[in-house]
């Protein structure tokens, strides 16, 4: 069973914790489309009142994962098209962020990016899927934060929990294909750093495009049960 990394769970509310777990179970298809989520049942499961559960369900509704109903919700899941659109937005954000930081002093940011790659390598060595996924997300978030654009950061933060859950699922699939595939993912991140070190906007643009072309192929393999038709 997939679990969120410990670093992710620090200083979050109970509602966020419940949302994290339900979000991941929906994405890995252990909670299936059409199932009903009961506020009362979830509250009993977590030993809490219905208030944090409502907060969790509202967050999942904002993700498009469920449809709110009286005293609960119906699970919608995400189609492959939904996931691809999520990655379209990621690509636009990261392209903007990388172009925005180019031409500036990137030394401190590049050090942090290399540290994240080292932590991904360490997680791979110890077969720690959750940590690998966390440092994958942190790598990209580092670039976005260094773009110093508050509205872009707000947009990223609104999608961040869903992106983390998707990366956890894709990471599990990557590890299932062996060490060579894990190293391929790490190398993708090295290439992003190498492109940024050139400080050439055309090379950076090509690097972002290549990265997300590969990521969409990984999505297709990791979510084979998703449909193209969508939920609506």
């Amino acid at each position: 069973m997939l679990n969120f990394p410990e670093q992710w769970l620090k200083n979050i509310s109970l509602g966020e914790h419940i949302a994290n777990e339900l979000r991941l179970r929906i994405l890995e298809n252990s909670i299936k489309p059409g199932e009903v989520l009961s506020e009362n049942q979830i509250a009993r499961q977590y030993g809490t009142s219905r208030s944090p559960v409502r907060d969790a369900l509202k967050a999942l509704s904002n993700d498009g994962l469920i449809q709110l109903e009286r005293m609960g919700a119906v699970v919608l899941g995400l189609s492959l098209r939904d996931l691809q659109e999520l990655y379209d937005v990621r690509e636009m954000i990261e392209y903007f962020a990388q172009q925005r930081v180019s031409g500036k002093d990137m030394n401190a940011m590049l050090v942090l990016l290399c540290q994240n790659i080292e932590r991904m390598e360490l997680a791979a060595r110890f077969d720690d899927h959750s940590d690998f996924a966390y440092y994958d997300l942190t790598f990209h978030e580092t670039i976005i934060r260094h773009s110093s654009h508050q509205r872009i950061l707000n947009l990223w933060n609104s999608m961040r929990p869903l992106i983390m859950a998707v990366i956890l699922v894709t990471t599990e699939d990557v590890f299932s294909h062996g060490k060579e595939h894990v190293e391929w993912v790490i190398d993708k991140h090295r290439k992003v750093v190498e492109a940024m070190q050139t400080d050439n906007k055309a090379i950076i643009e090509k690097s972002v495009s290549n990265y997300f072309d590969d990521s969409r192929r990984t999505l297709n393999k990791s979510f084979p049960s998703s449909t193209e038709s969508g939920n609506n």
Side-chain angles (χ1 to χ4, degrees):
M1 180 178 288
L2 298 176
N3 291 296
F4 273 84
E6 290 183 11
Q7 302 95 318
W8 180 269
L9 299 175
K10 290 178 181 177
N11 303 317
I12 65 171
S13 68
L14 179 56
E16 290 170 319
H17 176 73
I18 295 170
N20 281 333
E21 291 203 352
L22 293 175
R23 184 182 289 112
L24 191 53
R25 302 301 164 241
I26 292 170
L27 286 177
E28 67 177 353
N29 211 34
S30 58
I31 299 177
K32 301 183 185 302
E35 289 191 31
V36 175
L37 301 178
S38 162
E39 281 186 11
N40 288 329
Q41 287 180 359
I42 296 170
R44 283 196 296 271
Q45 179 183 345
Y46 287 92
T48 185
S49 68
R50 294 209 312 266
S51 181
V53 177
R54 289 195 195 103
D55 291 341
L57 295 182
K58 183 178 179 181
L60 298 182
S61 175
N62 290 339
D63 289 341
L65 289 169
I66 63 172
Q67 178 178 308
L68 293 175
E69 303 283 351
R70 187 172 179 273
M71 300 292 288
V74 176
V75 176
L76 301 175
L78 287 184
S79 69
L80 183 57
R81 179 177 177 178
D82 292 327
L83 291 163
Q84 289 170 339
E85 288 181 358
L86 178 69
Y87 271 56
D88 288 343
V89 178
R90 275 195 65 189
E91 181 175 1
M92 287 187 285
I93 290 173
E94 295 194 34
Y95 170 73
F96 174 86
Q98 290 191 35
Q99 292 288 345
R100 187 172 168 88
V101 299
S102 68
K104 299 179 181 179
D105 183 358
M106 293 189 288
N107 288 337
M109 182 191 70
L110 291 171
V111 168
L112 291 174
L113 295 179
C114 290
Q115 288 175 350
N116 274 287
I117 291 173
E118 289 171 1
R119 287 166 180 158
M120 290 174 71
E121 291 171 333
L122 185 63
R125 197 174 306 139
F126 287 94
D127 200 34
D128 190 330
H129 304 190
S130 293
D131 267 11
F132 188 94
Y134 178 76
Y135 290 116
D136 184 339
L137 178 124
T138 304
F139 176 95
H140 299 281
E141 188 166 88
T142 297
I143 299 170
I144 293 164
R145 290 190 179 279
H146 276 79
S147 73
S148 300
H149 193 291
Q150 189 58 50
R151 291 192 182 275
I152 286 292
L153 184 58
N154 290 345
L155 178 58
W156 166 262
N157 284 336
S158 72
M159 304 187 303
R160 187 174 183 261
L162 181 58
I163 292 170
M164 181 75 260
V166 171
I167 291 176
L168 280 166
V169 174
T170 58
T171 296
E172 191 77 4
D173 184 67
V174 164
F175 272 78
S176 74
H177 286 86
K179 292 182 179 179
E180 286 187 5
H181 205 60
V182 174
E183 178 57 34
W184 172 75
V185 172
I186 295 171
D187 193 53
K188 283 172 54 182
H189 292 77
R190 292 194 192 102
K191 288 177 180 176
V192 170
V193 172
E194 290 167 4
M196 296 191 74
Q197 286 172 328
T198 69
D199 209 17
N200 182 303
K201 291 195 174 187
I203 292 174
I204 291 171
E205 179 179 2
K206 182 65 174 175
S207 168
V208 174
S209 177
N210 288 343
Y211 183 94
F212 281 97
D213 284 347
D214 287 339
S215 294
R216 289 185 187 90
R217 284 190 284 271
T218 301
L219 276 180
N220 293 344
K221 294 175 183 176
S222 301
F223 293 92
S225 61
S226 298
T227 65
E228 290 286 356
S229 59
N231 302 315
N232 298 322

